[in-house]
Amino acid sequence: MESRLERYLKEKKNKKRKRIKILIISLMVILLVVAISIVNDSLYNYFDLTDTSVFNYEYEKSTHVIEIFGNEFDINLNKAVKNIKEYIVNIF
C-alpha cells in the first residue's frame, strides 16, 4: 500500500515527465519546420528551382493551400466544419 504522500510524489513525477515529453516533441517539430524551410530556401537560391518547393503555405479565400514535398493539399475549413456539423446532427 502506498501512502498519500508517495502517491502524490509519484503523480508529481509523472506530470513532470509528461511536460518534458511535450517540450521535447514541440522542439522537434519546430526544428523540423525550420530545417524544411532552410532546404526550401537553398533549393530556391542555389539551384534556381522556382517552380518546385519543399514547403509552401498560401491562404486564398478561406482555403488553405499547403504544399509539402511537391504534393499540394487544399484545406477549406468552412467546408470541413460544415461537414462535421452535418455529421453530428445526423447522429443525434
Side-chain angles (χ1 to χ4, degrees), residues 2-16:
E2 296 180 313
S3 68
R4 288 186 207 173
L5 179 61
E6 289 173 347
R7 232 178 309 141
Y8 171 75
L9 293 175
K10 189 176 179 182
E11 289 175 8
K12 190 174 178 180
K13 187 177 178 182
N14 287 337
K15 285 181 183 179
K16 187 175 181 180

Side-chain angles (χ1 to χ4, degrees), residues 10-65:
K10 189 176 179 182
E11 289 175 8
K12 190 174 178 180
K13 187 177 178 182
N14 287 337
K15 285 181 183 179
K16 187 175 181 180
R17 283 184 184 170
K18 285 180 185 179
R19 277 190 240 128
I20 290 173
K21 285 180 186 179
I22 290 172
L23 178 67
I24 290 172
I25 291 172
S26 300
L27 289 174
M28 289 176 67
V29 168
I30 291 170
L31 183 64
L32 176 68
V33 169
V34 169
I36 289 174
S37 175
I38 290 171
V39 168
N40 190 30
D41 290 342
S42 67
L43 283 175
Y44 181 75
N45 291 332
Y46 296 124
F47 300 118
D48 196 30
L49 297 175
T50 56
D51 58 339
T52 61
S53 64
V54 177
F55 178 76
N56 190 19
Y57 172 79
E58 295 177 8
Y59 179 72
E60 303 171 353
K61 295 182 185 177
S62 77
T63 301
H64 300 272
V65 179

